[in-house]
Amino acid sequence: AKMSLKFSNDKVLKKFQGIQKDYSSLLSLNNLWQQYIRDYLGERNTDQQLGQKILKADFNGAILHVWESSNKDLVGVGGIVLLETKHAFVVLTKQNKRKMLIKENSVFLLKWEDKCCKLFGDLLLYK
C-alpha cells in the first residue's frame, strides 16, 4: 500500500512542477480565500453550525499547518493550500517547497483573521 501511495503522491506533485510561484506571491490567493470564508460562514452560527460549514468549505488558498499526525515528520509543516484532494492537501511552504499533507490520522490548524480552529483530517476524507 505504501508504494501505491508514494506513486500517487508523486503523480499529484508532478502536476505542480510547472508552477513556479513563490509563497509571497500566493498571499493574494490567501486574501481571496479569507474573503470567501468570511462570506461563506456568515456572522451568526452556533458552534455546531460553524463546524459543519467549515468541514464543507473549500480550502484552496487557505493557510493550514499540521498540528498532530501519525507521521511525526509532518507536525508543524504547513503553507498555502494549492490543491485539496480526497486524501490530502498539497501546500506551498514559506520555503517555497511543495508538500503533500495526508488527511488520514492528522489534525490541522486553520487560521484566518482572528479565528483559529482544528480540522480533523479523518472527517475531511468524506468531502
Side-chain angles (χ1 to χ4, degrees):
K2 282 187 178 183
M3 204 159 188
S4 63
L5 183 59
K6 176 68 174 152
F7 174 77
S8 176
N9 290 353
D10 289 344
K11 188 176 177 182
V12 171
L13 289 173
K14 281 182 183 179
K15 288 183 179 182
F16 293 96
Q17 283 182 343
I19 298 174
Q20 297 302 321
K21 298 283 185 183
D22 62 12
Y23 184 88
S24 61
S25 70
L26 289 176
L27 288 174
S28 60
L29 178 62
N30 177 254
N31 289 334
L32 288 173
W33 181 84
Q34 289 196 43
Q35 290 174 4
Y36 152 77
I37 200 70
R38 185 174 41 249
D39 293 343
Y40 173 71
L41 295 177
E43 293 182 18
R44 296 185 181 153
N45 293 293
T46 64
D47 287 346
Q48 184 176 3
Q49 289 170 326
L50 190 63
Q52 289 172 350
K53 283 185 173 182
I54 287 175
L55 287 176
K56 295 177 183 175
D58 181 340
F59 294 106
N60 294 302
I63 296 177
L64 288 178
H65 290 85
V66 179
W67 182 258
E68 296 174 16
S69 177
S70 57
N71 179 348
K72 299 303 178 202
D73 292 338
L74 291 179
V75 174
V77 175
I80 297 175
V81 177
L82 298 173
L83 174 71
E84 180 182 8
T85 69
K86 184 175 179 179
H87 298 285
F89 295 106
V90 177
V91 300
L92 186 70
T93 69
K94 284 185 177 182
Q95 295 76 31
N96 299 317
K97 304 257 188 232
R98 288 177 298 277
K99 297 282 184 178
M100 181 170 281
L101 309 177
I102 304 300
K103 293 177 181 177
E104 189 173 18
N105 298 320
S106 295
V107 178
F108 301 93
L109 193 61
L110 173 68
K111 293 182 182 181
W112 74 98
E113 296 174 344
D114 61 344
K115 297 165 184 63
C116 180
C117 71
K118 288 183 184 177
L119 298 173
F120 292 84
D122 290 340
L123 297 176
L124 297 171
L125 290 171
Y126 302 103
K127 279 180 71 171

